[in-house]
Amino acid sequence: MIAAPAFAQTTEAAPAQDAPAATQQAAPQEAPAQSGPTADQIKQLVAGEWSKYDLDSSGALEQAEFASWMTDLRKNSEPTFDSASEEGAAWLQRAFEFADKDSNASVSQGEMVTLLLPAAEQSAAAEEPAATETPAESADNTTSSSDSAM
């Protein structure tokens, strides 16, 4: 359903049923075949799967719990991924550090959702309020400037 985070994908093309983030990473110049999961769908997925990986029921994923989830996700798009290899362990370490935005040595559900959201959707969500306000403000400023010039 969802593959490993887009920042960690290889350049090999992933099957269409895997995460759209993997497809976008593999072929950025082409439009993805499907639009991908929404933020709400990712939140539901994380909430639904959380107890499977939060083995100590602490409400956060420690590094080993996070590594287990990331390994499962990565193997969905790259079945030969070996988390025990030096390269695999290094990737998991970088992914954990990237996901742990507040640097508290654990990953919250919110941090996991942020990690799994496609980068394009995160950018669009971050820019939406600014894009909505900016044209109106610039139109007001333009009108005021031209009115005062006359």
Side-chain angles (χ1 to χ4, degrees):
M1 184 174 207
I2 295 184
F7 76 91
Q9 295 295 317
T10 62
T11 57
E12 297 175 18
Q17 71 268 20
D18 285 345
T23 304
Q24 289 174 328
Q25 180 68 19
Q29 68 277 11
E30 297 176 20
Q34 56 186 4
S35 62
T38 65
D40 286 337
Q41 290 170 327
I42 291 175
K43 287 177 188 176
Q44 289 174 357
L45 173 81
V46 168
E49 294 287 311
W50 193 260
S51 63
K52 179 179 175 183
Y53 295 97
D54 184 15
L55 300 177
D56 62 2
S57 301
S58 66
L61 301 180
E62 283 69 37
Q63 191 161 1
E65 294 167 326
F66 175 85
S68 176
W69 199 340
M70 288 297 101
T71 298
D72 289 349
L73 290 176
R74 179 112 181 234
K75 283 187 174 188
N76 282 337
S77 63
E78 187 182 337
T80 60
F81 176 71
D82 179 11
S83 62
S85 72
E86 186 176 323
E87 180 182 307
W91 180 86
L92 289 167
Q93 178 66 36
R94 287 189 312 271
F96 182 78
E97 290 169 0
F98 182 80
D100 184 17
K101 297 294 185 193
D102 60 6
S103 301
N104 68 347
S106 65
V107 175
S108 67
Q109 283 192 30
E111 288 171 325
M112 185 62 114
V113 169
T114 299
L115 177 71
L116 296 177
L117 277 174
E121 185 173 327
Q122 288 180 26
S123 297
E127 293 174 6
E128 257 178 34
T132 305
E133 293 174 21
T134 304
E137 289 173 359
S138 64
D140 289 342
N141 291 340
T142 305
T143 305
S144 300
S145 300
S146 60
D147 288 345
S148 62
M150 289 183 177

